[in-house]
Amino acid sequence: MQPFLEIKDICLSYRSLAGETEVLSHISFSVSPSEFVAIVGPSGCGKSTLLNLISGLLQPDRGEILIHGQPISEHSANVGYMLQKDQLLEWRTIYQNTILGLEIRHQLTPSKIEKTKQLLTQYGLSAFRNARPSQLSGGMRQRAALIRTLVLEPDLLLLDEPFSALDYQTRLQVGDDIGQILRKESKPAILVTHDIAEAISMADKVLILTKRPSSVQKIVPIHLDISDRTPLSSRNAPNFKYYFNLIWKELNQNGTPVQ
Ligand code: ADP
Ligand code: MG
């Protein structure tokens, strides 16, 4: 099967008056259609930079990023990006927030409005349609942000530490919710996280990056011995701990604490 996304030998340095910072060094990996990939690595190693390259916000110095075999610049891939801060606008209601992207793209058609309302109901937010973001819990806000992203029907989802601002209990719940939503949508997704357990519980494979200048240290495919896998149930799989220890050791070999 042709991969959905191919990252081929990517290098990137930031240049400023103060000098040059080499961030990514010969990074290669691929993502299959509907595969969920988690990326872990030391703080400042270039994880967000890598997502910015994949979204087309930055251009690599070297290497190629292909979607369905075509360079991203030529492919009109629709990439959904979710960040740690949900970026909901307080002066808009939850419903108005979820349609923001559609408004900006002039895609506010009756069928898209219907789809938005359906997602709000499906993900337990219809009673909060007219509420302001500050009236919602952190987990509900993240779900609203996810709906705003999903109604744009992205071909690929990029998630940059989307749960790290939430407390532990909420993070487990929201991670489980969002993981299940993404499985249902069966879209390819890339999750950057500093939480090893979160990476294993959600991903089909975990990409471990070295410290900067960052290269791929190891790619760990995750095969959990569990039926009806969800992010929460994954944590009870007998071999969950095996993967945790493996990734923990790899990151510690890195010599820098993970974040
Ligand atoms: P991570 O997400 O893994 O923590 P980042 O991709 O945010 O890492 O940053 C990687 C490195 O590049 C860091 O050392 C950071 O300080 C530097 N950096 C990030 N953005 C810029 C920029 N726009 N200009 C210069 N340096 C940057
Ligand atoms: Mg980052």
Side-chain angles (χ1 to χ4, degrees):
M1 196 189 342
Q2 189 191 39
F4 172 81
L5 172 74
E6 290 168 274
I7 309 291
K8 288 186 160 175
D9 204 26
I10 288 294
C11 296
L12 182 112
S13 298
Y14 287 112
R15 289 173 195 87
S16 69
L17 288 177
E20 187 170 309
T21 313
E22 192 185 354
V23 179
L24 301 175
S25 170
H26 304 281
I27 303 261
S28 297
F29 66 95
S30 62
V31 181
S32 323
S34 80
E35 191 174 32
F36 197 116
V37 178
I39 301 181
V40 295
S43 179
C45 76
K47 301 179 293 297
S48 299
T49 301
L50 186 55
L51 293 194
N52 285 337
L53 284 163
I54 296 169
S55 71
L57 288 171
L58 281 175
Q59 298 299 316
D61 296 332
R62 178 200 157 115
E64 283 187 305
I65 301 178
L66 306 175
I67 289 187
H68 289 311
Q70 286 178 14
I72 41 166
S73 50
E74 290 163 30
H75 194 284
S76 57
N78 187 354
V79 176
Y81 212 152
M82 225 177 120
L83 305 165
Q84 183 179 340
K85 280 202 69 189
D86 55 47
Q87 318 282 359
L88 296 177
L89 303 175
E90 186 55 31
W91 63 89
R92 301 186 76 144
T93 64
I94 290 303
Y95 170 70
Q96 288 168 340
N97 267 287
T98 54
I99 58 168
L100 182 66
L102 292 172
E103 269 179 29
I104 291 171
R105 293 190 187 184
H106 304 290
Q107 292 176 356
L108 204 54
T109 58
S111 72
K112 293 278 167 84
I113 291 175
E114 197 42 50
K115 167 90 178 164
T116 310
K117 289 184 177 164
Q118 194 191 323
L119 287 173
L120 282 163
T121 304
Q122 203 174 339
Y123 301 136
L125 289 178
S126 65
F128 295 87
R129 268 171 55 177
N130 297 317
R132 303 282 161 177
S134 59
Q135 296 173 280
L136 269 63
S137 67
M140 291 166 108
R141 293 175 62 117
Q142 276 301 18
R143 256 184 278 158
L146 181 67
I147 292 171
R148 183 186 55 193
T149 309
L150 289 177
V151 292
L152 298 171
E153 297 179 355
D155 304 318
L156 168 68
L157 274 149
L158 304 177
L159 307 152
D160 196 352
E161 309 206 27
F163 316 125
S164 52
L166 306 173
D167 64 73
Y168 182 69
Q169 199 66 28
T170 311
R171 198 160 89 207
L172 285 183
Q173 193 56 55
V174 177
D176 193 55
D177 268 3
I178 288 187
Q180 293 200 49
I181 293 170
L182 295 179
R183 290 265 170 215
K184 264 190 222 123
E185 300 277 328
S186 65
K187 309 242 186 223
I190 304 179
L191 168 76
V192 164
T193 175
H194 59 260
D195 182 331
I196 301 174
E198 188 173 279
I200 302 165
S201 71
M202 295 181 81
D204 299 308
K205 73 183 177 204
V206 178
L207 188 85
I208 305 171
L209 296 179
T210 67
K211 62 181 186 237
R212 199 168 50 104
S214 181
S215 56
V216 177
Q217 177 165 337
K218 201 176 182 88
I219 296 178
V220 183
I222 307 289
H223 299 291
L224 296 173
D225 308 328
I226 194 159
S227 54
D228 298 327
R229 182 182 166 189
T230 66
L232 271 181
S233 72
S234 294
R235 293 173 189 253
N236 296 323
N239 53 348
F240 186 86
K241 211 167 172 195
Y242 158 80
Y243 286 115
F244 189 95
N245 289 333
L246 178 77
I247 296 169
W248 174 263
K249 278 194 193 127
E250 288 289 337
L251 283 164
N252 282 321
Q253 268 178 27
N254 247 328
T256 322
V258 62
Q259 202 181 77

